[in-house]
Amino acid sequence: MSTIDDITGQIAPSAAKDQHGRGYDGHWALVWQKFRKHKLGVAGGIVVLLAYFVALVPEFLAPVTLESYMPAYSYAPPQPLHWGRDDGEGWRFAPHVNAYNSVIDYNSGRRLFEEDVEAPVYVGLFVRGESYRLLGLIESDIHLFGPIEAGQPFFIAGADRLGRDILSRTIYGTRISMTIGLVGVALSLVFGILIGGISGLFGGVVDNLIQRLIEFIQSVPSIPLWIGLAAAIPQSVPPLQVYFLITIILSVLGWTSLARVVRGRFLAMRNEDFVKAARLDGCGPVRIIFRHMLPSFLSHIIAVVSLAIPGMILAETALSYLGIGLRTPIVSWGVLLQEAQNVRTIAAAPWLLLPGGAVIVAVLALNFLGDGLRDAADPYSD
Amino acid sequence: MGHFMLRRMLYALPALIAVSIISFLVISIPPGDFITRTAELRAAQGDIMPLAEQEAMRRAYGLDQPIPLQYWNWITGIVTRGDFGYSFAFNLPVKDVIWPRMGLTIVLSLASLLFIWAVAIPIGIYSAVRRYTVGDYVATFLGFLGLAVPNFLLALAAMYIAFAGFGLSVGGLFSPEYVEAPWSWERVVDLLGHLWLPMIVLGTAGTASVIRIIRANLIDELHKPYVTAARAKGKGEFALLMKYPVRHALNPFVSGQNDIFVDIVSGGTIVAIVMGLQTTGPLLLDALRTQDMYMAASFILMLSVLVVLGTLLSDLLLAWLDPRIRYQQG
């Protein structure tokens, strides 16, 4: 019914909206309208944007830089934040944490931490601390939050083995973990569009062969293969190259689902009226693909891409955790989780799992966003 | 049916050959071999291994041959004699190490699959029938969470809870006294006592996706005319649900079992490493690190074969369930 109404609506411009109340907006406006209705998708999108913002400027957001450490605060638990303080003349607002006094308990061999109420570390917003280069360009020493007096202990999420701030390191880890998914997916996308496009365009034997290949790759257990390939990277390779090798390894197996979507859209669209019309108007194949076909399945590609990123993040985290992915000095969530190798360490310092929480939030948000985008990618169906 | 089975099995053959080549290639890509690794290790301990000795060892192990020839020797050994080559690190034939480990891997994978079915099918049906209720939202949310939590993190969390909450020392599939013991009734009981935790950990991600598949398919079926017809005839609601729409909705679920089984076997590697299970995972990682090539290649090969066989089984199951597939392809 609605299609007929749509057609009559288009013929009679006086009826500016169809029965669903939709106006005659462009494709992207329709996609946006439909996406906005997917509440979880929007929420996921906001979290993802925030995460990429964190990835852009971790130097500003983290209280301390990666180089900072305090051996006396090895495995220190999170310092509770106090909002105010009674200094004899009554309570006043002064957010602070208390420094720790540590004693070694010789029975368990563990260091015990006690808050020292006499040594408050006042905390503020936009404080001066260690200097850094924002985006590698702007020299600055302002941090979003941290101790007002630089260099004082501030471990709001606890410390690791060497007394480094878990929160700061997790914030820095966002950069690598969130981008490795992007770079990996970008690579997969190149493979996927190329191979999927060839498959959809040529059809016949080529299509059949490529489809069998994709089925085969999808039926191979990926993690053992990933482990195998990642373990093949020699220890002597510099960290930056390891980063790129890992993205290549992830996309070697990751391109298949993208290729499937591209091929499917190609096949479905080859016989659409508007493609036929373009062909009859004398457009060449390149113009048809890029001017007419690509814009209408770009939204599908974006949706598949956002659903492919979480898989890459999970894979990188797992490989790095096993010690065959990224390595220090690169800081990713997986590298940080290496600290939590066994149950005893975790039982003694559960805050080491904070980067794991970041992984879960990022993957959930990307999944919600991808779900919303997938629903919105085809705004013409209900 | 017989015709279809034969065809489907013939299709699996090239996949198996390709898998064996890839398994071997992955192991052969890294520069150096087990001998150079050993020499490096010894050098780190201050013990220099003369080049002549390295060459002699290489010849003894057949590592001086070109890679295609090494592959040929390896694969013909497996096919004709069931001989997977020699593990340099264990100083044992690979087959002596691999079979007990593979057995436990299969047991764990199947247990996880059964766990997924037992949990996900009822929840999926409930979610679809009671759509948009609190229970549905809880199930959907838990499903998403199950997808988002990395397997190894879940394994760590489960071990932490068992350790800190219940004082259980988990890890491994056996109590220490049964690890090396021969099979006995007590050992089986001991295995079952340890199996449930990795089974739940491994099954969680799969449970999430099965719930979503069943829910989506069943929702599509629930409002079809045949359901209304059956209801109009006065059939009870539960019997009706089980007899018609659920049976319909199970078809896509069965064909989705491939991916889930692949994920179980694949994810099982990492869970096993984290939890120290006596399955293939930890040994595979060690073998890759020490470049114990026949061992590593055999493990990857066997895991892939397990997956190919799983795919074959689920295809046959689907053909048995759905005659349309038999006739279309057979």
Side-chain angles (χ1 to χ4, degrees):
Chain A
M1 283 296 281
S2 70
T3 50
I4 299 168
D5 285 356
D6 282 349
I7 291 166
T8 52
Q10 268 164 354
I11 292 165
S14 59
K17 291 192 169 182
D18 67 8
Q19 65 183 33
H20 302 292
R22 283 187 302 229
Y24 293 98
D25 296 315
H27 175 76
W28 291 105
L30 288 176
V31 167
W32 172 241
Q33 276 174 24
K34 186 146 188 198
F35 177 68
R36 248 184 5 194
K37 285 193 195 134
H38 199 290
K39 293 278 185 298
L40 270 179
V42 174
I46 292 170
V47 174
V48 169
L49 281 181
L50 278 177
Y52 278 111
F53 176 69
V54 173
L56 199 64
V57 289
E59 295 90 350
F60 167 66
L61 295 169
V64 294
T65 59
L66 288 177
E67 284 78 35
S68 134
Y69 67 101
M70 286 191 185
Y73 278 71
S74 167
Y75 289 127
Q79 290 168 308
L81 183 69
H82 306 282
W83 288 107
R85 207 175 137 72
D86 194 350
D87 55 355
E89 298 159 32
W91 193 89
R92 66 189 169 81
F93 178 74
H96 66 279
V97 296
N98 289 321
Y100 278 133
N101 282 329
S102 64
V103 276
I104 294 186
D105 176 13
Y106 287 100
N107 289 328
S108 65
R110 275 170 53 187
R111 207 194 280 259
L112 297 177
F113 291 92
E114 235 171 51
E115 279 188 73
D116 182 359
V117 238
E118 296 305 312
V121 177
Y122 292 104
V123 178
L125 292 173
F126 301 105
V127 292
R128 294 194 176 268
E130 293 153 289
S131 65
Y132 56 85
R133 274 174 181 280
L134 199 62
L135 304 172
L137 293 172
I138 313 161
E139 183 119 14
S140 168
D141 60 356
I142 294 180
H143 297 257
L144 178 64
F145 64 101
I148 289 174
E149 232 173 285
Q152 287 193 300
F154 178 62
F155 296 95
I156 200 122
D160 68 359
R161 185 168 42 92
L162 297 175
R164 296 175 295 193
D165 180 28
I166 298 280
L167 180 66
S168 296
R169 292 176 72 73
T170 307
I171 289 175
Y172 273 91
T174 312
R175 175 171 284 170
I176 300 297
S177 289
M178 290 302 281
T179 55
I180 206 160
L182 271 192
V183 177
V185 168
L187 267 178
S188 309
L189 197 59
V190 174
F191 287 126
I193 290 185
L194 203 69
I195 300 174
I198 291 172
S199 192
L201 209 58
F202 289 94
V205 183
V206 179
D207 182 37
N208 209 351
L209 275 180
I210 292 178
Q211 289 314 304
R212 293 294 87 73
L213 178 71
I214 289 178
E215 271 171 24
F216 168 69
I217 292 180
Q218 287 186 338
S219 74
V220 173
S222 54
I223 290 173
L225 268 189
W226 272 333
I227 294 180
L229 289 169
I233 302 174
Q235 293 285 324
S236 54
V237 174
L240 196 68
Q241 275 182 23
V242 174
Y243 175 89
F244 284 111
L245 284 173
I246 293 283
T247 55
I248 292 172
I249 290 172
L250 294 184
S251 46
V252 161
L253 297 179
W255 59 272
T256 51
S257 56
L258 286 162
R260 281 232 150 139
V261 172
V262 172
R263 167 183 175 268
R265 300 314 299 174
F266 252 88
L267 288 181
M269 220 166 273
R270 231 172 20 178
N271 301 321
E272 285 275 346
D273 287 345
F274 71 90
V275 176
K276 249 181 236 160
R279 196 175 296 133
L280 290 175
D281 274 347
C283 293
V286 176
R287 188 177 163 82
I288 290 180
I289 290 175
F290 284 97
R291 186 76 188 80
H292 297 280
M293 287 167 83
L294 192 68
S296 61
F297 69 78
L298 196 59
S299 46
H300 286 270
I301 289 188
I302 294 173
V304 180
V305 162
S306 65
L307 283 173
I309 296 176
M312 299 247 166
I313 294 180
L314 288 177
E316 182 275 322
T317 311
L319 287 182
S320 300
Y321 176 77
L322 294 182
I324 49 179
L326 302 176
R327 297 186 285 266
T328 46
I330 283 190
V331 173
S332 77
W333 293 331
V335 173
L336 292 178
L337 283 170
Q338 283 177 13
E339 293 272 335
Q341 271 307 336
N342 58 61
V343 181
R344 270 162 219 287
T345 317
I346 298 169
W351 50 90
L352 290 176
L353 291 178
L354 180 72
V359 173
I360 295 172
V361 170
V363 170
L364 263 182
L366 279 162
N367 267 319
F368 288 147
L369 173 69
D371 256 22
L373 287 176
R374 191 171 46 191
D375 286 356
D378 194 1
Y380 311 106
S381 66
D382 279 307
Chain B
M1 189 71 192
H3 190 194
F4 175 82
M5 276 176 72
L6 198 69
R7 270 178 72 104
R8 191 55 195 77
M9 282 179 191
L10 281 180
Y11 271 137
L13 206 61
L16 286 175
I17 293 171
V19 151
S20 72
I21 292 175
I22 288 183
S23 317
F24 202 81
L25 266 185
V26 167
I27 311 309
S28 314
I29 296 170
D33 51 28
F34 181 72
I35 313 296
T36 45
R37 264 310 149 93
T38 316
E40 275 169 22
L41 276 180
R42 293 222 189 141
Q45 293 164 356
D47 179 13
I48 308 297
M49 198 170 170
L51 275 178
E53 192 189 331
Q54 290 187 29
E55 283 310 312
M57 268 180 86
R58 211 161 265 143
R59 257 197 307 284
Y61 288 137
L63 291 175
D64 54 341
Q65 294 165 339
I67 286 171
L69 190 63
Q70 288 185 35
Y71 167 75
W72 181 249
N73 290 338
W74 177 66
I75 198 71
T76 45
I78 293 175
V79 174
T80 55
R81 288 171 274 129
D83 173 12
F84 287 85
Y86 197 75
S87 164
F88 312 137
F90 279 77
N91 258 325
L92 277 173
V94 171
K95 67 173 194 296
D96 291 353
V97 187
I98 207 168
W99 283 119
R101 297 265 172 173
M102 271 317 284
L104 286 173
T105 304
I106 294 172
V107 167
L108 178 63
S109 303
L110 287 182
S112 303
L113 197 62
L114 289 179
F115 170 79
I116 290 174
W117 289 348
V119 174
I121 295 179
I123 294 182
I125 294 175
Y126 176 86
S127 275
V129 177
R130 300 262 181 277
R131 205 177 160 190
Y132 302 136
T133 58
V134 178
D136 178 29
Y137 283 125
V138 170
T140 309
F141 177 74
L142 286 181
F144 264 119
L145 207 60
L147 282 179
V149 182
N151 261 335
F152 73 90
L153 210 57
L154 200 64
L156 280 178
M159 284 163 73
Y160 170 62
I161 291 169
F163 178 79
F166 301 96
L168 298 170
S169 167
V170 282
L173 283 173
F174 299 103
S175 309
E177 63 267 31
Y178 288 109
V179 172
E180 298 293 332
W183 280 107
S184 62
W185 180 244
E186 287 79 20
R187 194 168 186 240
V188 173
V189 173
D190 188 56
L191 173 65
L192 289 179
H194 284 83
L195 194 64
W196 59 274
L197 198 61
M199 176 187 85
I200 293 174
V201 167
L202 206 46
T204 311
T207 307
S209 67
V210 170
I211 290 177
R212 291 177 75 184
I213 295 173
I214 299 241
R215 180 178 180 274
N217 289 317
L218 193 53
I219 284 175
D220 284 348
E221 294 296 327
L222 276 181
H223 300 287
K224 293 251 170 98
Y226 70 85
V227 180
T228 317
R231 195 172 287 138
K233 282 176 73 181
K235 204 162 170 58
E237 201 54 34
F238 185 76
L240 172 142
L241 190 69
M242 287 300 146
K243 183 135 192 229
Y244 302 114
V246 167
R247 263 174 73 190
H248 237 289
L250 280 185
N251 274 355
F253 155 75
V254 171
S255 64
Q257 288 313 295
N258 294 340
D259 302 340
I260 287 160
F261 195 66
V262 175
D263 286 347
I264 290 178
V265 173
S266 189
T269 318
I270 286 184
V271 171
I273 293 170
V274 174
M275 301 183 89
L277 308 181
Q278 284 82 8
T279 58
T280 46
L283 274 198
L284 172 63
L285 187 62
D286 285 349
L288 284 166
R289 281 198 178 129
T290 53
Q291 298 200 349
D292 190 356
M293 60 184 293
Y294 292 119
M295 180 88 134
S298 303
F299 270 136
I300 294 185
L301 173 69
M302 290 306 282
L303 287 176
S304 309
V305 166
L306 187 60
V307 165
V308 171
L309 290 182
T311 312
L312 181 67
L313 268 181
S314 89
D315 277 4
L316 294 180
L317 187 64
L318 191 64
W320 174 69
L321 267 179
D322 190 346
R324 283 173 298 184
I325 291 170
R326 287 205 289 276
Y327 291 122
Q328 187 192 337
Q329 295 184 3

